[in-house]
Amino acid sequence: MVALRKSVEGETPGGKSSEPAGSGTPEKAGRAAVRGQPTRDEIASHHLMDETRLTGGLIERAVYTGDERRRTAEIARQLVTAAREDPANHVGIDAFMREYGLSSEEGILLLCLAEALLRIPDAQTADQFIAEKIASGHWDRHRGHSDSLFVNASTWGLMLTGRLVKLKETQGQN
């Protein structure tokens, strides 16, 4: 804990300053203090540190005032409101998430697939699981629903993959 506290106060475990060379200007020091962000040297000094000691020190640092919590909540609220207000700006992954939300079977299927792939240890099992899930989706329900080229191309890719997997399965059974 002592090493972490020293590095938080601007000194690394080796006794050296955690500020990069030439960064001792009041402007840079003030910017780091206002944002509460660690310097590159501070992060590097913690690279191989015992995780329990490090997280304990970080938890102690993560104390926010009521005003900071209120400002954070207000910024989050503004971001969510702005994202929801203008559906025309939903492109890329935002448009994909809208098309394949959790209100659709295929959205739930994709979520289950992503979550399960984090836990599957080998490639063969993962490939089999992907094939099974993609083949079971009704991707054609989503064809042309979005204004996004990305979403429509993804839908066609999922439809084609699902059909190829089903074709392979039927050929394997003959």
Side-chain angles (χ1 to χ4, degrees):
M1 227 23 150
V2 174
L4 177 63
R5 287 185 190 189
K6 284 185 177 180
S7 68
V8 169
E9 294 167 3
E11 188 178 310
T12 62
K16 298 178 182 175
S17 171
S18 65
E19 284 294 315
S23 67
T25 65
E27 175 192 345
K28 288 185 180 179
R31 204 170 37 209
V34 169
R35 291 185 183 158
Q37 296 179 351
T39 64
R40 182 176 293 245
D41 288 341
E42 181 183 355
I43 293 169
S45 73
H46 298 329
H47 176 66
L48 297 175
M49 183 181 262
D50 176 61
E51 188 175 318
T52 304
R53 287 180 44 211
L54 180 60
T55 54
L58 291 173
I59 289 170
E60 289 176 12
R61 289 173 58 182
V63 177
Y64 298 100
T65 66
D67 186 50
E68 289 171 324
R69 286 192 302 272
R70 183 194 55 74
R71 285 193 339 246
T72 302
E74 181 57 32
I75 291 169
R77 194 175 338 345
Q78 289 171 358
L79 289 171
V80 170
T81 301
R84 290 179 177 166
E85 280 180 351
D86 191 5
N89 284 334
H90 294 145
V91 294
I93 199 68
D94 289 333
F96 188 86
M97 296 297 288
R98 281 196 172 274
E99 181 63 33
Y100 291 103
L102 295 179
S103 60
S104 73
E105 283 181 48
E106 290 73 27
I108 293 171
L109 188 144
L110 289 171
L111 178 67
C112 291
L113 181 63
E115 190 175 358
L117 287 175
L118 294 172
R119 294 178 176 82
I120 295 175
D122 63 290
Q124 183 179 357
T125 305
D127 288 346
Q128 290 171 345
F129 187 73
I130 291 168
E132 176 187 317
K133 291 298 179 187
I134 297 297
S136 69
H138 300 285
W139 307 106
D140 53 331
R141 293 179 188 169
H142 299 271
R143 187 178 42 195
H145 283 195
S146 177
D147 293 333
S148 167
L149 176 63
F150 170 73
V151 173
N152 290 324
S154 298
T155 299
W156 275 97
L158 290 164
M159 284 173 32
L160 179 61
T161 303
R163 289 181 182 165
L164 288 173
V165 170
K166 287 177 187 175
L167 179 64
K168 183 178 177 183
E169 287 174 357
T170 57
Q171 286 179 347
Q173 293 173 356
N174 292 334

